[in-house]
Amino acid sequence: MRSPSAGAFARAAGLLSVAGFPLTQGLTLGAQPAPANPYTAVSRWTPPTLPAGKKAITQDTYDAWRTISGPTISNDGKWVAYTVSPVVGEGSLVVRATTGSAEYANIGRGFTGRPQLQPAADSAAQFSAQPAQFSADSRVVVFTIYPSRADVERARARRGAPQPRNGMGIVNVADGAVTRVANVRSYRLARNGGKFLAYLLEDTTAAARPAAGAGAPAQPAGPRRENGTTLVLRDLAAGTDLRIEGVTNYAFDENEAWLGYTVSTAVGTNNGAFVRNLATGATTTLVAGQATYRGWAFDRAGKQVAFASDLNDSTPRPRFSVYYASLVPAKGKPVAARKLVAATDAPNGLLIAERGQVSFTREGTGLIFSLANAPADSIPADSLVDKAIYDLWHWKDTQVMPQQKVNANRDRNRTYTALYTLAANKWTQLANDSLRATISNDGKRVLGVNSTEYAIPQFWGEGASDVYLIDPAHRRTYARGQAARWAGAAVPRRQLHHVVREGAVGGVRRGHWQEGRAHGQAAGQVPGRRVRFAGHPAAVRPGWMDRG
């Protein structure tokens, strides 16, 4: 075998020495030049010297940047109010005159700049300070005062610690004087008026709940009732307060003629629904009894009132009914509420929603309320032990499984619009799990929209909606069509003309139809497709719908 040459040994030794191994010691391979070092020493990086008077931008700098939110203007146009908040930190309210230099600034609002701490949360989870509100006569500004940053972070660090309470502030625009009230849950101002302010205090007297076991009070067999707190009615001009105990819900009518409120106390005394005449101070009892009351609403004229209650239902799962009262006394009859829609009137599998909408139509001719699915019996947690849990999805489902999971809670709590027509003394369910309903100002027409049939094509951008024109009084559908296509139903063109011009049906305003692919561009014309109505065999030219 051929032995390696001396040059080969030298090259190997050189490689090993470069790698840092002292294997060439004791070997004589001849003088070899030292290998060149391919690296040079690098000094540690130091930031450049800042110019005189300048500061480096850090996270603290970003947190201090301020933004304006919740701008509002007084009815007389002489004042504006807005909140100035840092990204993280405490904000302030500014009230400024629109003419001249009058300004009231640095009115503390507490911890309004709160960081987003929820991972993967959308913008809806971002905290936003409630805008301030001017009284109708533009004399005062009312706003919420939030706890300080230190109080919020202290409560967050201590698990189970009570959360700090909000307060309320009142600014007199004449002199900038600020009145602060602690522990305020909510406040109300009438849309028209400006003489009164009502606010509900937090319950700060609640004792600690005793531990379960011996000595703990027995839980009542009936429903759990929400106990009210103190309502304060302040006369802003006189500066006097009237306190009403045990209030759960309250509201002004738009013209500040009435204050309506409901009372629910643990002892059960003086419970019921009441209205107070703000001009005379007289209080009228609409119904009396221990119950839960929800959804207090006046009509725009201040002549009718409605609410939902589980009065006289003492079962563990009480059901709600809709109550109604006319505030215009009939001859020889006192003002009192009557049960308009009983809990037993709801269709099978549905009930009157406890926290659903209760309101009047704009003209006060109908009462809108909500139905909800009856709650399913709960499944004991131990019944799922050692059980396989799986998701069942079909390729024809209108939503993919992740979307179904996200929407599951919303779907369980979905409510369906219903309308009680006061003149006809009957009510109709207008919406269901696939049909959305929007009611006209006078309650005589309903626009129904259903996109369920086209949910799958919506995945690739070709969705549409079926549109219905409904007469709720006679439970009759006048017309049905896809998006702007109307066909096959006996709907006189003059009736459609009336609905379009009425300007009261959600996506409809004067001269314009705004549903699906239909967007009006000129009064008297509504874009769509070829349209045929019963009794009108001639079709309108493509692209426009004749208003008649």
Side-chain angles (χ1 to χ4, degrees), residues 42 60 142 219 252 266 270 342 350 362 364 391 421 433 450 465 470 530 536:
V42 178
D60 292 339
V142 187
Q219 295 297 322
F252 288 109
N270 300 323
L350 297 177
R362 186 178 181 88
D391 296 325
T421 304
D433 57 358
N450 183 359
S465 295
I470 304 168
R530 297 181 66 87
H536 297 274

Side-chain angles (χ1 to χ4, degrees), residues 162-182:
Q163 295 298 313
R165 311 293 181 87
N166 293 340
M168 180 187 68
I170 307 171
V171 181
N172 189 327
V173 299
D175 55 9
V178 181
T179 302
R180 299 177 184 272
V181 183

Side-chain angles (χ1 to χ4, degrees), residues 505-521:
V505 182
V508 180
R509 55 193 172 94
R510 290 186 181 275
H512 298 262
W513 182 268
Q514 296 179 321
E515 178 57 45
R517 294 187 297 271
H519 299 280
Q521 300 175 356

Side-chain angles (χ1 to χ4, degrees), residues 259-263 270-276 283-287 296:
L259 171 67
Y261 59 93
T262 58
V263 175
N270 300 323
N271 289 3
F274 309 88
V275 288
R276 180 182 179 86
T283 300
T284 302
T285 302
L286 300 179
V287 294
W296 190 278

Side-chain angles (χ1 to χ4, degrees), residues 105-383:
N106 300 321
I107 304 171
R109 292 205 64 182
F111 191 22
T112 58
R114 303 190 185 186
Q116 174 56 264
L117 301 179
Q118 299 181 21
D122 57 14
S123 59
Q126 180 66 41
F127 176 84
S128 180
Q130 179 182 353
Q133 185 177 353
F134 282 95
S135 60
D137 58 5
S138 306
R139 293 190 299 112
V140 300
V141 184
V142 187
F143 62 98
T144 299
I145 301 176
Y146 298 95
S148 65
R149 179 179 181 180
D151 289 342
V152 172
E153 293 181 344
R154 187 182 304 112
R156 182 182 296 153
R158 296 172 55 192
R159 186 174 182 180
Q163 295 298 313
R165 311 293 181 87
N166 293 340
M168 180 187 68
I170 307 171
V171 181
N172 189 327
V173 299
D175 55 9
V178 181
T179 302
R180 299 177 184 272
V181 183
N183 299 316
V184 175
R185 181 179 299 178
S186 62
Y187 63 84
R188 300 279 191 276
L189 289 167
R191 182 173 182 176
N192 303 315
K195 182 179 180 180
F196 294 99
L197 164 68
Y199 57 91
L200 191 65
L201 297 176
E202 293 279 8
D203 183 8
T204 58
T205 61
R209 181 177 300 175
Q219 295 297 322
R224 296 181 60 182
R225 303 293 188 190
E226 176 187 2
N227 295 326
T229 59
T230 303
L231 176 70
V232 180
L233 178 64
R234 170 166 294 189
D235 188 323
L236 294 172
T240 57
D241 291 342
L242 172 70
R243 301 171 73 89
I244 306 171
E245 302 298 330
V247 174
T248 55
N249 294 286
Y250 65 103
F252 288 109
D253 74 308
E254 287 197 3
N255 296 317
E256 208 176 58
W258 300 94
L259 171 67
Y261 59 93
T262 58
V263 175
S264 179
T265 60
V267 295
T269 58
N270 300 323
N271 289 3
F274 309 88
V275 288
R276 180 182 179 86
N277 189 315
L278 295 175
T280 65
T283 300
T284 302
T285 302
L286 300 179
V287 294
Q290 190 170 13
T292 299
Y293 300 91
R294 304 287 188 197
W296 190 278
F298 287 97
D299 70 336
R300 292 174 63 88
K303 296 180 179 181
Q304 303 173 100
V305 66
F307 55 91
S309 176
D310 61 0
L311 185 65
N312 298 325
D313 189 344
S314 58
T315 60
R317 288 186 176 182
R319 299 201 170 197
F320 281 71
S321 301
V322 178
Y323 289 80
Y324 164 86
S326 173
L327 300 179
V328 179
K331 187 175 181 180
K333 294 183 179 180
V335 173
R338 61 185 175 94
K339 188 181 294 185
L340 203 65
V341 183
T344 55
D345 294 339
N348 187 33
L350 297 177
L351 48 78
I352 296 172
E354 176 182 353
R355 299 184 182 276
Q357 176 188 22
V358 176
S359 62
F360 287 90
T361 59
R362 186 178 181 88
E363 296 182 9
T365 55
L367 177 63
I368 304 169
F369 62 98
S370 300
L371 300 172
N373 295 315
D377 293 335
S378 60
I379 302 175
D382 58 359
S383 66

